[in-house]
Amino acid sequence: MKEDGSEQDRRTIELIESIASQVRGAIESGLLPAIRTPTRSLENVSYNKKAGYLELGKKEQVRALTVNTARAFAQTLRLMAASRAMVASNDFATKREAYYISKNWGDCRFDEQAESDAIMDDIEAIASLHGLSRENLRFYPESHGGSVAGRLVIVDKSAATGETIEIDCARLGVGAYSIPRSAEHLAFRTDARFILAIETGGMFQRLNNHRFWERAQCIIVEMGGVPTRATRRFIRLLSDRHDLPVYCFVDCDPYGFTNIYRTLKAGSGNAAHVNRFLCVPRAQFLGVTPQDIIDFGLEDATHPLTPVDIKRAKDALRNDPFIVAHPRWVAAIKQLLDMGVRAEQQALAKWGLNYVIDEYLPRKLSEVSGFLP
Amino acid sequence: MKEDGSEQDRRTIELIESIASQVRGAIESGLLPAIRTPTRSLENVSYNKKAGYLELGKKEQVRALTVNTARAFAQTLRLMAASRAMVASNDFATKREAYYISKNWGDCRFDEQAESDAIMDDIEAIASLHGLSRENLRFYPESHGGSVAGRLVIVDKSAATGETIEIDCARLGVGAYSIPRSAEHLAFRTDARFILAIETGGMFQRLNNHRFWERAQCIIVEMGGVPTRATRRFIRLLSDRHDLPVYCFVDCDPYGFTNIYRTLKAGSGNAAHVNRFLCVPRAQFLGVTPQDIIDFGLEDATHPLTPVDIKRAKDALRNDPFIVAHPRWVAAIKQLLDMGVRAEQQALAKWGLNYVIDEYLPRKLSEVSGFLP
């Protein structure tokens, strides 16, 4: 991923043209054309402990042209053609827009977005085997990324003039930089020591207003719950290119552990073909941990685990390949189940609004080796 | 609202101290103290057509100190004390944090956030009668605002040094300025002709990537569905201070009309005490209108109205005081019901991804007088 945007664009067009050539070649030879796509179902997904994420296996399916598949086959080719055109014109389409542009495709128009999404996933899975992401194909997610502030200069380029634009994330006041839907073309300058990925917007605003990133020499990112695709890709690129550890600061509950943190770090099973681009294997769990509830005296600012919490925790202990592979996570989740309570990151406000800045984060950051994996 | 932040801070502290003095005075005179708050229920809410928003009437309730109200009475005073301390230290608390700081209040701690929220609403209602918002009281919403780009320079101040910070929203590349939880202290410089408030993130990204704001000489704001409190306040302040019209570009469906647009323009009935700060009476509805579906040939890119759509539309015609007060809205909603379909703003992509930029928006903006009120 160190290559620049134009090199990725060249490879994207090359890939699309090579598939199109194969199809055309088959037709011209009087053969029925076929397109091979990686199988995306869970049976073809496993946790690669070394790489640190859930990944696709080698199983493939072949979409051959038949009477039954003619429509989907044509739709696949048209979506690839749309992708090629967008790369050439430096444009993009959201998944929803991609669905609508088909309305002019006559008989092969999509009737529902579920159809175009499924075909887009197939194309994305093919591209992923060539190191190209859906953003390279110019299909962008609808949701923007979270907010960013701190010791980071983002280097972008004016679409109109080609002029370099630098955004200093230490000079945005109490506002922040809103991560765009594709970060592929961005470059970064930073002297930060780490990235702090924060679950809630309120906590992000607190750390930003008090310029926590200045004294801790870091970059803060608001995830706003489960991080969107754009947020994950942004953190991944920044962490990779500048060799920055990523510390996660989320609620102490099964949702925080297995949905927010695990998604950021290891990806999710039903989108295994994209994890190699999106997940952040270097992420570590700063807190709030079950042990923190004891160490920081938060017992009376907790809430009982709900039945959903308990089910989610037990499911993770049984079935989550990431959790199962990490004995310290298994122990932490068992400890939480024994304690029977959950704690939000805001619970630290019990000791004063800025206890989190003055006490909690400095103490935790002084012992990074204690972070959960 | 032209006064600066420090003047508002002074008035906020003055208000809190005057209520506290009254309570103390009553106690010292051997009387049971009482706090008067505006009644917030719907019976005390009406649509002020001249002001352009749903507003509270004159009904009040009196919270007198009795055995039954002692706890809530004490909680009200403690929350006001917390507010005073935050104004003095230039800090803030989210609603969730405000709930947690009570955990150290002994017997008058809040058991659930619903309790602290209700009391905060009462305090906010009192403050609103004095022209002060919840943000002035330093209770911030959890959700940040949407994203902003275009011909706007935001003037903020470094909390650390007091130094002025200027953020040029025309120099953020494909990123954007993320609106903070409180915009009260911000100042603006702009040569924009209008503010374009956009429902979906994908459309915002399209207009930003293509620098639509440059050629249209405007500021674009991403609402991301129903605009959050922070987004509404930001648009309101910007529109008021620079006399800018606000054009809304949302989906053509009852949710877009009565939830997104109406909330931005006229506020909502169950938060009538805050509408005077948040709603944007100058907002106008650019589209997508039911007539646009015909005028721009979108018929085959529509979807049938769902039963929920139909119910929402009929409810609006019967009960929504804003809709009922505007015959053109009544006609538009009846037209939509007759047509039986809905259209998203992305449906314009049927004519090409950038049809919205090259055709739709220029045609609409050439006839602003045709916008729905």
Side-chain angles (χ1 to χ4, degrees):
Chain A
M1 288 296 110
K2 300 262 167 160
E3 61 188 352
D4 70 1
S6 60
E7 172 59 19
Q8 290 175 28
D9 286 348
R10 194 190 56 72
R11 292 202 294 117
T12 307
I13 289 187
E14 206 172 82
L15 172 65
I16 293 171
E17 292 187 343
S18 99
I19 297 170
S21 299
Q22 283 165 30
V23 169
R24 191 190 175 108
I27 294 169
E28 288 179 345
S29 312
L31 300 169
L32 279 175
I35 298 175
R36 311 174 82 85
T37 60
T39 301
R40 291 186 288 104
S41 61
L42 279 177
E43 42 153 16
N44 194 31
V45 172
S46 61
Y47 177 62
N48 181 329
K49 196 169 174 183
K50 191 156 161 250
Y53 48 79
L54 300 162
E55 65 173 8
L56 279 188
K58 297 195 184 308
K59 284 192 193 138
E60 283 189 331
Q61 59 197 30
V62 177
R63 173 166 291 154
L65 180 58
T66 68
V67 172
N68 291 330
T69 64
R71 191 158 161 272
F73 199 88
Q75 288 169 330
T76 307
L77 291 173
R78 288 208 75 144
L79 259 192
M80 286 198 293
S83 169
R84 188 189 180 293
M86 292 189 291
V87 176
S89 62
N90 193 22
D91 210 336
F92 70 92
T94 62
K95 292 172 84 169
R96 192 70 179 157
E97 286 177 325
Y99 158 70
Y100 277 115
I101 52 181
S102 83
K103 295 294 182 187
N104 251 338
W105 291 355
D107 282 346
C108 70
R109 58 184 271 157
F110 295 113
D111 290 327
E112 294 181 16
Q113 193 185 330
E115 292 178 353
S116 53
D117 284 355
I119 287 180
M120 202 179 295
D121 283 343
D122 284 340
I123 300 173
E124 185 181 14
I126 298 172
S128 76
L129 299 183
H130 297 263
L132 295 166
S133 67
R134 195 170 75 202
E135 286 75 11
N136 288 135
L137 293 163
R138 304 300 182 116
F139 294 118
Y140 286 8
E142 172 66 26
S143 304
H144 67 78
S147 300
V148 180
R151 299 173 76 126
L152 171 68
V153 173
I154 294 167
V155 184
D156 199 343
K157 212 160 62 176
S158 162
T161 63
E163 174 205 13
T164 295
I165 294 181
E166 299 202 340
I167 301 114
D168 185 346
C169 297
R171 293 191 57 82
L172 297 172
V174 297
Y177 175 80
S178 176
I179 299 173
R181 281 154 194 79
S182 173
E184 302 300 323
H185 67 294
L186 300 178
F188 308 107
R189 281 207 318 273
T190 181
D191 66 352
R193 295 189 301 124
F194 61 91
I195 300 166
L196 187 66
I198 301 158
E199 175 173 344
T200 65
M203 183 60 75
F204 174 86
Q205 189 80 58
R206 172 160 306 286
L207 299 190
N208 195 23
N209 280 38
H210 290 273
R211 298 168 74 86
F212 174 75
W213 41 264
E214 196 160 58
R215 60 168 115 167
Q217 203 176 333
C218 70
I219 298 159
I220 60 174
V221 180
E222 169 193 35
M223 296 192 285
V226 174
T228 63
R229 189 175 164 114
T231 304
R232 294 163 63 197
R233 182 65 179 153
F234 181 88
I235 294 177
R236 166 66 179 276
L237 286 173
L238 186 55
S239 165
D240 272 11
R241 291 185 188 161
H242 292 273
D243 198 23
L244 289 173
V246 177
Y247 304 144
C248 293
F249 180 24
V250 309
D251 288 348
C252 180
D253 58 35
Y255 187 80
F257 302 159
T258 68
N259 293 54
I260 296 176
Y261 175 71
R262 203 262 284 123
T263 298
L264 180 72
K265 173 152 184 159
S268 61
N270 58 15
H273 57 298
V274 301
N275 289 336
R276 55 181 292 186
F277 301 107
L278 298 184
C279 67
V280 183
R282 294 194 60 180
Q284 289 173 274
F285 191 86
L286 177 148
V288 178
T289 65
Q291 187 61 37
D292 284 346
I293 294 177
I294 300 163
D295 292 348
F296 292 89
L298 302 178
E299 291 89 345
D300 61 355
T302 59
H303 295 86
L305 290 174
T306 66
V308 172
D309 287 328
I310 293 168
K311 180 176 184 315
R312 189 172 274 132
K314 290 186 171 168
D315 283 353
L317 291 176
R318 256 195 307 269
N319 301 322
D320 188 316
F322 169 75
I323 298 293
V324 170
H326 290 95
R328 289 183 59 205
W329 267 115
V330 171
I333 292 177
K334 284 184 175 162
Q335 182 182 11
L336 190 77
L337 283 169
D338 285 346
M339 293 167 73
V341 293
R342 56 204 299 283
E344 296 174 351
Q345 50 183 184
Q346 292 93 333
L348 294 158
K350 174 199 154 186
W351 298 115
L353 287 171
N354 292 313
Y355 178 81
V356 61
I357 292 175
D358 298 329
E359 293 287 335
Y360 179 77
L361 286 172
R363 257 173 77 181
K364 295 293 292 192
L365 288 166
S366 71
E367 206 179 0
V368 168
S369 62
F371 290 175
L372 285 167
Chain B
M1 286 295 108
K2 298 261 168 162
E3 61 189 348
D4 69 2
S6 59
E7 173 59 18
Q8 290 175 30
D9 286 348
R10 194 190 57 71
R11 291 203 294 116
T12 307
I13 288 187
E14 205 172 84
L15 172 65
I16 293 171
E17 291 186 346
S18 99
I19 296 170
S21 298
Q22 284 166 31
V23 169
R24 190 187 177 110
I27 293 170
E28 287 179 346
S29 312
L31 300 170
L32 278 176
I35 298 174
R36 309 175 84 86
T37 60
T39 301
R40 292 186 289 104
S41 62
L42 280 177
E43 43 153 16
N44 193 30
V45 172
S46 60
Y47 177 62
N48 180 330
K49 197 169 174 182
K50 188 153 165 255
Y53 47 81
L54 300 163
E55 66 173 9
L56 279 189
K58 296 196 184 308
K59 284 194 192 134
E60 281 189 331
Q61 58 197 30
V62 177
R63 173 166 291 154
L65 179 59
T66 68
V67 173
N68 291 330
T69 64
R71 193 158 159 271
F73 199 89
Q75 288 169 330
T76 306
L77 292 172
R78 287 208 75 144
L79 258 192
M80 286 199 292
S83 169
R84 188 190 182 290
M86 292 189 293
V87 175
S89 62
N90 193 22
D91 210 337
F92 69 92
T94 61
K95 291 171 85 167
R96 192 70 179 155
E97 286 177 326
Y99 158 70
Y100 276 115
I101 51 180
S102 83
K103 294 296 183 186
N104 253 337
W105 292 355
D107 282 347
C108 71
R109 58 185 272 156
F110 295 113
D111 291 327
E112 293 180 17
Q113 194 186 328
E115 292 178 352
S116 53
D117 283 356
I119 288 182
M120 203 179 294
D121 283 344
D122 284 339
I123 300 173
E124 184 181 11
I126 298 171
S128 76
L129 299 183
H130 298 262
L132 295 167
S133 68
R134 196 170 74 201
E135 287 75 10
N136 289 135
L137 293 164
R138 303 301 181 117
F139 294 117
Y140 286 9
E142 172 66 27
S143 305
H144 68 79
S147 299
V148 180
R151 298 172 76 127
L152 171 68
V153 172
I154 294 168
V155 184
D156 199 342
K157 211 160 64 175
S158 161
T161 62
E163 174 205 14
T164 295
I165 295 180
E166 299 202 340
I167 301 115
D168 185 346
C169 297
R171 293 192 58 81
L172 296 172
V174 297
Y177 175 79
S178 177
I179 299 173
R181 281 156 193 79
S182 173
E184 302 301 322
H185 67 295
L186 300 179
F188 308 108
R189 283 207 317 274
T190 181
D191 67 352
R193 296 189 299 124
F194 60 91
I195 300 167
L196 186 67
I198 303 158
E199 174 173 344
T200 66
M203 184 59 77
F204 174 86
Q205 189 80 59
R206 172 159 307 286
L207 299 190
N208 195 22
N209 280 37
H210 290 273
R211 297 167 74 85
F212 174 76
W213 43 263
E214 196 160 58
R215 59 169 114 167
Q217 203 177 333
C218 70
I219 298 160
I220 60 174
V221 180
E222 168 194 35
M223 296 192 285
V226 175
T228 63
R229 185 173 167 116
T231 305
R232 294 162 65 197
R233 181 66 178 152
F234 181 89
I235 293 176
R236 166 67 180 275
L237 285 173
L238 186 55
S239 165
D240 272 10
R241 293 187 188 159
H242 292 273
D243 197 24
L244 290 173
V246 177
Y247 304 144
C248 292
F249 180 24
V250 309
D251 288 349
C252 180
D253 59 35
Y255 187 80
F257 303 160
T258 67
N259 293 55
I260 296 176
Y261 175 69
R262 203 262 283 124
T263 298
L264 180 73
K265 173 154 183 158
S268 61
N270 57 17
H273 57 298
V274 301
N275 288 337
R276 57 181 291 186
F277 302 107
L278 298 183
C279 67
V280 182
R282 295 195 57 179
Q284 290 174 274
F285 191 87
L286 177 147
V288 178
T289 65
Q291 188 60 37
D292 285 346
I293 294 176
I294 300 162
D295 292 348
F296 293 89
L298 301 179
E299 291 89 344
D300 61 355
T302 58
H303 294 88
L305 289 175
T306 66
V308 172
D309 286 329
I310 293 168
K311 178 175 186 315
R312 188 172 275 130
K314 289 186 171 166
D315 283 352
L317 291 176
R318 255 196 307 269
N319 301 323
D320 189 316
F322 169 76
I323 298 295
V324 171
H326 290 96
R328 289 184 59 205
W329 267 116
V330 170
I333 291 177
K334 283 184 176 163
Q335 183 181 12
L336 190 77
L337 284 169
D338 284 345
M339 293 166 75
V341 293
R342 57 205 297 282
E344 296 174 352
Q345 51 183 179
Q346 291 94 333
L348 295 158
K350 174 198 155 186
W351 298 114
L353 287 171
N354 293 313
Y355 178 81
V356 61
I357 292 174
D358 299 329
E359 293 288 334
Y360 178 77
L361 287 172
R363 257 173 76 184
K364 295 293 294 193
L365 287 166
S366 71
E367 206 180 359
V368 168
S369 61
F371 290 175
L372 285 166

